[in-house]
Every structure is written in structure tokens, then in C-alpha cells.
Amino acid sequence: MSAPALLRYRFAARAEALADMRHALKSSLKAKAVSDAEITRLVLAVDEAASNIIRHAYRQCTPGEIELTLTRVRGKLRFRLRDYAPPVDSKCVKPRNLDECRPGGLGINLIDDIMDRWRLRALKKRCGNVLVMFKRLTQVRVSSRSKHGSRDR
């Protein structure tokens, strides 16, 4: 049995749809007492991942949709981005050499830095890709129950 979703959000694979996605994700993370600093970093990583899907996965086809699902699994947040673009070879998705001095191309580096781990899988028969990113939370706001000695985790 899978964990219940904290957020299910489907949006057009277009740059102008990213602001609403960021807002929905931020609201969902705030509701789970994630610290503001951690929310900023997590939203940045998910935004980078979604931007990469729009820019690279949907590059040679009509933009489709992206589904974001946020769940909590064994003390970790799990961010799942599913797209309907042509399959991407996960071996080609890797961080940029930071010794290179050029603009852009830092999305995977950011995701590597912010998330504990991630994996990309192409869905061969159904068309599309699934990116799953995991993050163990280290900072949570003190909830009203926490004043009595327990942390809301």
C-alpha cells in the first residue's frame, strides 16, 4: 500500500504554469510544518526538475502535462514528477562539470545538492518518464504540540 499523497498537482508542461505549481507545492510543504528555509530549497529543486522536463523532454514534441505527487515515506518526502514526453535516456542526465565556466545547465547539480537521492526512469510502453526525488527533513517548525516536548515529524 502506498502512502497517501500530500499533494497531487497536474499542470501543463509550459513555463508559465510553473508559478502555480511552486505555489501549490509551497502551500503543501507549509501545511506539513517544513521550515521556510527547507521549503525554499525543495521548491527550487522541483522547479528545476520541471523546467528540465519542459525544456528537454518535451523539446521535440507538443508540450503535454506533468503530474507532481508529494508523499511522505518512512520519514522522507518523496517528490514524483511524471511526464508524457518521449522516453529520456537516464544515462544522459548527469550534473555539469562545475569547472566549466558557462551559463545554465546547473539543474541537476542543484537537485543533487538539495535532494538526498533521485532516479529517472523512462516508461517505454506507455510513453513518458518518471523522476522521483527523496529528501529526509532535518528542519521542521515547532508545532503547537511540540511545545509539550514532541516534534511534528
Side-chain angles (χ1 to χ4, degrees), residues 30-76:
K30 272 189 181 242
K32 292 300 166 193
V34 177
S35 73
D36 289 342
E38 196 73 28
I39 288 172
T40 299
R41 293 174 50 82
L42 294 170
V43 170
L44 174 62
V46 173
D47 184 66
E48 281 293 330
S51 295
N52 283 344
I53 291 168
I54 293 167
R55 179 175 290 149
H56 302 293
Y58 280 112
R59 173 181 52 191
Q60 296 178 352
C61 61
T62 304
E65 292 187 317
I66 301 172
E67 298 168 2
L68 167 63
T69 306
L70 170 63
T71 54
R72 188 173 205 145
V73 180
R74 287 178 245 137
K76 294 180 181 178

Side-chain angles (χ1 to χ4, degrees), residues 7-11 17 19-22 24 66-69:
L7 172 68
R8 286 188 196 279
Y9 189 81
R10 190 175 187 135
F11 56 102
D20 287 343
M21 181 278 296
R22 290 190 300 265
I66 301 172
E67 298 168 2
L68 167 63
T69 306

Side-chain angles (χ1 to χ4, degrees), residues 3-4 13 17 41 49-50 54 59 76 79 82 114 121 129 146:
R41 293 174 50 82
I54 293 167
R59 173 181 52 191
K76 294 180 181 178
F79 303 84
R82 197 261 199 247
I114 294 169
R121 179 172 54 99
N129 305 282
S146 297

